[in-house]
Amino acid sequence: DAGITQSPRHKVTETGTPVTLRCHQTENHRYMYWYRQDPGHGLRLIHYSYGVKDTDKGEVSDGYSVSRSKTEDFLLTLESATSSQTSVYFCAISEAGSGNTIYFGEGSWLTVV
Amino acid sequence: AQRVTQPEKLLSVFKGAPVELKCNYSYSGSPELFWYVQYSRQRLQLLLRHISRESIKGFTADLNKGETSFHLKKPFAQEEDSAMYYCALKGGGNKLTFGTGTQLKVEL
């Protein structure tokens, strides 16, 4: 398994509170991603990073921000959590270029009440 | 724009029966196609990618550019194949676009 650690793995939070999920990798891969998984939607890209301090939006970025100050860490922040952000969040990593596989972390279960 | 369609939410087969999970894609360039598998509440694991043309756990998938399809097949289903299967496309920007997934249930 690729060296990807997500924390926390499970969290329950209240509507309106900020939440930060952390993804840590030991593979020194250039690309890091945050996806959310919801029934009927599969996995949808929230944000991704192609290098330290280089990030871009995915298809469902509203309400989320990210930061990458070190190669190994990619943080996802919900500025003010809403019930619609209850989901399973997966971090992923990859080297650049064609033919490189994208590897996934174990997921973070977030419930917003 | 890139898009992946998996038309079946649930596919139920008997043990020993053939399996085909459908995947169609839309992409204007030259795509890379993948199949990922997710066992209950676990991480997604890479099952196959079209460029390697390998067989993993008895599964194969052939990229058909004419039909824009990348269907996943296995001749004889096993109980341990029960899982969620996702087809994914990597186009521009080194990003994966996923289909909505197909839950495979293998019954005894």
Side-chain angles (χ1 to χ4, degrees):
Chain A
D1 286 344
I4 308 170
T5 305
Q6 293 186 227
S7 60
R9 295 290 316 283
H10 297 87
K11 186 173 182 64
V12 179
T13 192
E14 293 185 349
T15 299
T17 61
V19 177
T20 295
L21 305 180
R22 179 180 182 241
C23 178
H24 179 79
Q25 62 149 326
T26 58
E27 306 296 324
N28 202 36
H29 283 352
R30 178 182 172 190
Y31 280 79
M32 298 185 76
Y33 312 82
W34 278 107
Y35 285 86
R36 59 177 290 174
Q37 183 182 37
D38 303 288
H41 292 277
L43 281 87
R44 292 177 292 175
L45 183 64
I46 304 171
H47 282 280
Y48 68 103
S49 170
Y50 46 95
V52 174
K53 297 186 179 180
D54 292 323
T55 65
D56 205 351
K57 296 179 179 180
E59 63 178 300
V60 290
S61 60
D62 287 349
Y64 301 94
S65 63
V66 290
S67 66
R68 191 170 179 199
S69 58
K70 298 184 290 184
T71 299
E72 58 265 35
D73 289 327
F74 192 35
L75 304 181
L76 176 70
T77 297
L78 289 65
E79 303 290 347
S80 176
T82 67
S83 58
S84 64
Q85 293 176 311
T86 292
S87 186
V88 184
Y89 292 85
F90 284 95
C91 175
I93 65 173
S94 172
E95 279 295 9
S98 63
N100 287 305
T101 299
I102 295 179
Y103 298 97
F104 284 82
E106 295 183 314
S108 294
W109 274 254
L110 177 67
T111 301
V112 184
V113 297
Chain B
Q2 53 197 58
R3 185 173 181 176
V4 177
T5 302
Q6 293 180 252
E8 303 139 327
K9 288 185 178 180
L10 173 66
L11 182 63
S12 185
V13 301
F14 286 105
K15 180 180 176 181
V19 174
E20 183 178 43
L21 301 174
K22 290 183 167 45
C23 172
N24 288 90
Y25 68 91
S26 173
Y27 183 61
S28 57
S30 183
E32 291 182 63
L33 275 297
F34 302 82
W35 276 100
Y36 282 83
V37 60
Q38 185 183 33
Y39 301 101
S40 180
R41 295 175 70 83
Q42 295 184 21
R43 74 175 75 206
L44 275 77
Q45 303 173 33
L46 178 67
L47 184 61
L48 285 174
R49 49 183 184 169
H50 87 272
I51 60 172
S52 60
R53 298 186 63 82
E54 57 195 339
S55 174
I56 303 294
K57 299 183 180 181
F59 285 97
T60 59
D62 290 317
L63 178 61
N64 186 324
K65 291 186 177 181
E67 296 184 357
T68 59
S69 68
F70 188 56
H71 302 326
L72 183 68
K73 299 177 183 180
K74 185 171 183 177
F76 307 105
Q78 304 295 317
E79 191 179 357
E80 56 266 29
D81 295 331
S82 294
M84 178 69 85
Y85 291 80
Y86 289 100
C87 183
L89 179 154
K90 187 162 73 166
N94 211 61
K95 298 175 290 183
L96 277 177
T97 297
F98 284 87
T100 51
T102 298
Q103 180 73 47
L104 176 64
K105 182 178 180 182
V106 180
E107 300 185 70
L108 300 177

